[in-house]
Structures are given as C-alpha cells and as structure tokens.
Amino acid sequence: MPDKTWWKNGIVYQIYPRSYQDSNNDGIGDLEGIRRRLDYIAELGVNAVWISPIFPSPMADFGYDIADYCGIEPIFGTIEDFDRLIGEVHARGLKMILDFVPNHTSDQHPWFGESRRSKSNPKRDWYIWRDPKPDGSPPNNWISNFGGSAWSFDDATGQYYYHAFLAEQPDLNWRNPEVREAMHDALRFWLRRGVDGFRVDVIWHLMKDPEMRDNPPDPNYKPGRPEIDSLQQVYSNGHHDIYGVVNGMRRVLEEFDERVLIGEIYLPVERLVTYYGTAELPGAHLPFNFQLIFAPWKPEALAKMIEEYESLLPEGGWPNWVLGNHDQKRIAARIGQDQARVAAMLLLTLRGTPTMYYGDEIGMAYVDIPPEAVQDPWERNEPGLGFNRDPQRTPMQWDSSAHAGFSTATPWLPVSPRYPEQNVEALSSDSGSILNLYRKLVAARRQHQALSIGSFRLLHSEGDLLSYERQHGDQRVVIFLNLGGGEVEAQLPESRTGAVVVSTLGEPREEKLGNSFILRPHEGLIVSE
Ligand code: GLC
Ligand code: CA
C-alpha cells in the first residue's frame, strides 16, 4: 500500500512574507497579499506553503524576534486575515506550515521584560542569566551567530544574558518546565486554528551544555569567515538533552491529526539524522536536509552525498531535500541559470519531500544591494564578508509593471533589475521558461508515484553525468542530469529504451530514446519506459 501521508507525497513551498505580495502598498508583503496569490501557488502544483514568521515582532531579525507567539504582526495583517488565509489555503487542498521560533524571543517580549526586572522575578529563570567573571567579562567565550559576544550585560541586575543571535533575541531557557509548557501552548494555539505543521527555527540550538563550558577554537578558522566560525560549536548547542525537547513538541503535534514537524538543523549528516529520533523517542518528521546547498556541483560529490544520506536514514525516516531558503544565496546565483534548471530537476526527482523557495521557480538570482539599502542585521554587524541575506529576500517578480507588481510603493528591499523580463506573467507565456519547467516537473512528480515515493538507485556519476533510477511497483523512471556545458553520452540500463517525460531545455527533443543517446549541454531528462 502506498503511504498517503501528505508530507511524504507533497512539495513544500516557502514564502518569505515580507517579499511575496504587498496588498496595502506600504512596500512590505502581507497575509492578504499571499491570499491573492493562492491561485498561482495552487497552479504550481505544490502541496503546502510554509510562511516565515508572521507574529508580532520589532523586526530586529525580520520576524525571527517574536514578541507574542499567539498574535499576528500588524504589518502582516490581523488574526482575521490569518483565518481567512488558512481557510482559503485549505479550500484549495493545500496545507499551511508556520514558522515556530522557540530558541529565543524578542527582547520586547513581555516575558523578557519581566525576566530582566529583578533576579527574583518569577520569570528570571525563563532566560539564561549568568554572573560576570571576576574581571567583569562575559561568563564564557560563546560567540553570537551574527558576530560579537553572545552575552549582553544588563546594568539593572548586574548579570549577563545569553543570545545565540542578536542581543535583541535573548535565548529562552528550555531547561525550565514552565518555558516548555508555555511554548507547547503556543503550538496548540495555532494547531487549533488549523495549522498543519511547523518549521522549527534552529531546533538544535535549544539545549546547551548545562555547565556552559567554553567552546574550543577551530584550528581551520580563516579570517574573512564569520566570527562564529572561529570556535567549534561543541557546547553552545546540540546537547543530547535536545532529543527529549524535540519529542515534547512532537507529542504536542500528535494531539492533533496528520501534522508535520520540520526542524531547521545545520549539522553534519550523521548528526542531522539523529533528529528523526528513535522508536521510543520520536523526533522531527523532517529534519531539514541542506546538503544540496553546500555540496560541490559535481556528479561524484552529489552522488556520494545522496548515497550517504540514504544509508544513514534511520528505519522509517523519510528523506527531504532543500535547494535554498531565506538565509542562503539563491541556487541560480550559486550555479547559474542553465544549471538552476538542472537543479530543479534534481530537487524534484530525488527520493524525499522537496522544499522550494519562492522565486527560484522564476530563476531569481543575485540582486545587488547598495550599502544604504542593506536590511539584514547580520550584514550590518559583519559587513562585507559576503553573507548578506538580503539578495535572497527581494520582492517576488509578478509582472513588468512598476516594482514588478509586488507593490505600488517603494519595496522594503530593491526589486531585481531583471524583472521586466523575469516575471511570472512573462515566463508563464513562454513554454520553454524555467517557470514552466517547474510546473512540468511538479506535474511529473504527481503523475509518477515512482518519483514521489519510489525507491532510489544510483546509476552513473562520472564526468558531467549524474543518473539514477526511481522505481515504484513496476513503474521505473530514469533521471539523467548533465551538469556541464558540453554534450554527454548517456545510456539506459539493461538495454532498455525509453520515452522523454520532461527535458530541462526549452526546445523540444525527440520523445523516443534508443538505449544510448546524447544529452545536450545543461540538459536534464526524466525518461520513462
Ligand atoms: C534561523 C532563521 C534565520 C534567523 C535565525 C535566528 O536560522 O532561518 O533567518 O536569523 O534562525 O532566528
Ligand atoms: Ca503591506
């Protein structure tokens, strides 16, 4: 019996709400804007939308600093807008995934307001407070992910508080049972409103070394890298108590039907897979697999990575793949427009749930952000290292009108200058566009169960060619990817012949293939028997 679980069969589509569609022309995207674009999303053929944080926030880190877990940020709309949006999402047969940020709150969250008031405040222990060292310096050497010490001194009570990110994002103390209860209730608040699951922000960060020992230096550190990389993050995150915490969230989701728990985790693959948990202590359904973001774009490297991941998955662990998100340079900026099409085919034909990032389907790439337009707090703290996240957060390009149809006001980040040609409207009417390629790939995945839930067998990974087979029952589909700019000879296994289901190239090619054939430069093919 095929497994019908929606998040195994489906495709997740990530929306960065500030940049999708502005409905009230203040230059910032909002919930009503997303609602107006639901037909587009449904036509893409994806199954679920994940929306980056939409909760009340001072926006020090653009919503990843939450001041109220059970409300809607007025910039994005109202709770009524939210209810309307989720109603229409569900009416189209789509699922809605929200972004849960449990590691830290905003410093403007009332909990932190209380916690910092006095050492004896009942919420003091909801955050991580420590005395200075005798010389007044921070309690340990931990560094913020955005640069500088991870500790900020609070004059009023003479202690430091810990923040893995900005000083405006104090870390919650997940060792305190009251914190866990309050956060579980926040999850229930949205689950009761019909939310189908959560993407949990930096989930591996939640549990730190209880003794808060110094992190060891990283001998491979080179100047020019972010300061956080100068230390190995041995003690500041990923303490083994994390598995109980993840399981706690999983159990809350299991109070409801068919909800999904996705974890944001940047760890080496052998540690990543431990976040699936065990039979006794189940963890995340989908620990995000970011390996495609970092792997060299070479057949051998990709093949090795895929096989290693497949072999490390625990019993019952369902794979997943991510090409990009709001924190990472876009795929088309990393490997170019030609290969971005090949990457789309890879993402949508690997075994496991794919997550697409808004705008990748129209080939959005790098957008230059002039210094005076920089928004990302990380870039402001550590300028010029090349880690600005703004270029992957620019407004969605809908049409060729002013500001790409995103807004009539000046958008909060610049629109790509390529928008007059590179927009949804223009690419929709071009049958060979990347947008229509994405649509074909999604449709092929829906048509062929071999692609969505079939097994995976690597066939070839030398030179510029990566090929593999997906099989479900007696349905077999072979994928050929030319990762280079020259022609490549390819062959179907076991003297078979086949028919082309999708080519990444705009120009059509012969549909019937003999046992061996030529892949054109940058061509990817899905071939059925
Ligand atoms: C996650 C988010 C990122 C944010 C950070 C702190 O990595 O994806 O955007 O800055 O957590 O919340
Ligand atoms: Ca708006």
Side-chain angles (χ1 to χ4, degrees):
M1 261 306 280
D3 188 336
K4 291 253 182 321
T5 311
W6 67 267
W7 50 263
K8 292 186 181 171
N9 283 271
I11 298 168
V12 178
Y13 181 72
Q14 181 190 355
I15 292 177
Y16 195 68
R18 295 179 66 88
S19 296
Y20 206 60
Q21 176 67 59
D22 180 14
S23 73
N24 61 349
N25 296 314
D26 60 357
I28 302 175
D30 42 55
L31 296 181
E32 172 59 14
I34 297 173
R35 193 189 67 79
R36 292 184 192 170
R37 294 297 184 182
L38 285 179
D39 285 342
Y40 168 76
I41 296 167
E43 275 165 27
L44 272 180
V46 300
N47 308 70
V49 285
W50 148 35
I51 310 179
S52 283
I54 51 175
F55 317 104
S57 167
M59 297 284 163
D61 191 20
F62 297 109
Y64 286 95
D65 48 322
I66 295 175
D68 173 7
Y69 286 94
C70 300
I72 296 292
E73 162 61 39
I75 290 177
F76 295 132
T78 62
I79 194 81
E80 288 75 30
D81 293 330
F82 175 82
D83 287 340
R84 186 167 178 210
L85 174 61
I86 191 169
E88 294 198 17
V89 164
H90 286 158
R92 283 172 172 79
L94 300 170
K95 304 285 185 183
M96 158 98 87
I97 298 169
L98 289 188
D99 208 316
F100 187 56
V101 187
N103 181 66
H104 42 267
T105 69
S106 162
D107 64 342
Q108 301 304 306
H109 195 295
W111 297 342
F112 190 66
E114 287 186 47
S115 185
R116 78 190 315 176
R117 201 163 297 150
S118 76
K119 282 185 173 171
S120 58
N121 187 281
K123 291 211 167 48
R124 183 66 168 182
D125 183 53
W126 280 40
Y127 293 83
I128 300 169
W129 293 95
R130 292 288 184 279
D131 286 330
K133 283 190 179 159
D135 67 356
S137 62
N140 68 21
N141 71 350
W142 296 0
I143 289 170
S144 157
N145 280 266
F146 294 145
S149 172
W151 296 92
S152 283
F153 188 69
D154 199 46
D155 285 323
T157 55
Q159 284 191 313
Y160 282 92
Y161 66 89
Y162 175 69
H163 49 88
F165 294 88
L166 299 174
E168 292 89 341
Q169 294 167 295
D171 277 43
L172 282 164
N173 175 17
W174 272 80
R175 295 188 182 277
N176 182 319
E178 291 175 21
V179 168
R180 294 191 194 197
E181 259 327 294
M183 295 302 275
H184 287 174
D185 282 343
L187 288 173
R188 290 188 187 100
F189 175 87
W190 295 107
L191 290 165
R192 282 192 206 105
R193 285 196 117 82
V195 164
D196 300 288
F198 295 92
R199 172 268 190 189
V200 183
D201 192 66
V202 296
I203 200 167
W204 85 106
H205 266 267
L206 265 54
M207 280 299 186
K208 312 133 194 352
D209 176 32
E211 294 170 45
M212 308 208 89
R213 283 167 278 187
D214 276 355
N215 277 326
D218 188 334
N220 299 317
Y221 177 71
K222 302 236 165 24
R225 294 289 307 165
E227 195 184 351
I228 181 79
D229 293 350
S230 64
L231 301 178
Q232 301 174 55
Q233 308 298 306
V234 174
Y235 295 115
S236 46
N237 57 49
H239 185 272
H240 58 74
D241 292 341
I242 185 63
Y243 303 110
V245 171
V246 179
N247 176 257
M249 291 184 203
R250 167 81 173 249
R251 275 186 284 127
V252 172
L253 267 69
E254 282 175 356
E255 295 166 15
F256 302 78
D257 285 341
E258 293 220 299
R259 311 298 161 106
V260 68
L261 185 65
I262 305 175
E264 186 208 22
I265 301 159
Y266 286 94
L267 286 175
V269 60
E270 61 281 2
R271 288 183 66 198
L272 173 70
V273 294
T274 64
Y275 284 76
Y276 283 101
T278 58
E280 301 74 51
L281 207 62
H285 296 106
L286 302 174
F288 259 152
N289 169 19
F290 296 129
Q291 294 181 91
L292 286 177
I293 296 176
F294 304 107
W297 201 246
K298 293 271 176 240
E300 315 87 273
L302 291 173
K304 185 167 170 269
M305 179 202 75
I306 296 164
E307 295 222 293
E308 186 184 24
Y309 178 60
E310 286 275 356
S311 73
L312 288 171
L313 286 172
E315 174 89 31
W318 185 251
N320 77 91
W321 297 94
V322 181
L323 265 186
N325 59 42
H326 62 293
D327 295 324
Q328 307 295 339
K329 202 166 165 188
R330 283 189 181 270
I331 182 69
R334 301 201 302 266
I335 60 174
Q337 293 293 346
D338 290 333
Q339 283 297 315
R341 301 169 74 110
V342 177
M345 186 171 277
L346 177 65
L347 174 71
L348 293 170
T349 58
L350 282 172
R351 193 177 84 90
T353 304
T355 299
M356 289 167 53
Y357 184 49
Y358 90 93
D360 282 351
E361 75 273 25
I362 56 169
M364 283 172 68
Y366 191 80
V367 180
D368 244 329
I369 309 293
E372 65 281 4
V374 168
Q375 300 286 335
D376 182 10
W378 187 10
E379 178 65 13
R380 290 188 173 172
N381 279 356
E382 295 191 281
L385 298 182
F387 292 95
N388 187 5
R389 297 176 296 174
D390 294 334
Q392 53 266 26
R393 298 174 177 183
T394 62
M396 181 66 174
Q397 297 152 210
W398 295 105
D399 57 40
S400 58
S401 68
H403 310 303
F406 165 73
S407 176
T408 57
T410 303
W412 74 289
L413 274 175
V415 176
S416 163
R418 298 194 53 206
Y419 86 86
E421 298 81 39
Q422 189 186 50
N423 63 67
V424 168
E425 196 180 72
L427 298 185
S428 286
S429 54
D430 168 1
S431 64
S433 70
I434 185 167
L435 176 57
N436 282 318
L437 170 63
Y438 262 99
R439 288 179 175 143
K440 285 177 218 160
L441 290 168
V442 172
R445 199 178 166 94
R446 285 189 168 227
Q447 268 155 25
H448 295 86
Q449 283 210 308
L451 287 176
S452 54
I453 55 173
S455 61
F456 172 91
R457 173 164 75 113
L458 181 70
L459 297 176
H460 193 101
S461 59
E462 280 157 47
D464 283 335
L465 177 64
L466 177 65
S467 67
Y468 46 91
E469 182 171 63
R470 304 289 314 279
Q471 176 164 9
H472 181 70
D474 53 13
Q475 184 183 74
R476 291 187 294 196
V477 178
V478 182
I479 293 90
F480 296 90
L481 304 174
N482 181 355
L483 271 55
E487 292 188 341
V488 162
E489 248 181 74
Q491 199 173 18
L492 281 155
E494 295 118 24
S495 329
R496 280 145 51 185
T497 57
V500 174
V501 180
V502 182
S503 163
T504 58
L505 297 183
E507 318 84 60
R509 67 174 292 153
E510 74 281 12
E511 268 174 36
K512 293 270 172 244
L513 296 176
N515 178 248
S516 57
F517 52 90
I518 299 287
L519 280 181
R520 296 173 287 176
H522 306 292
E523 184 168 44
L525 293 178
I526 301 178
V527 179
S528 69
E529 283 182 275

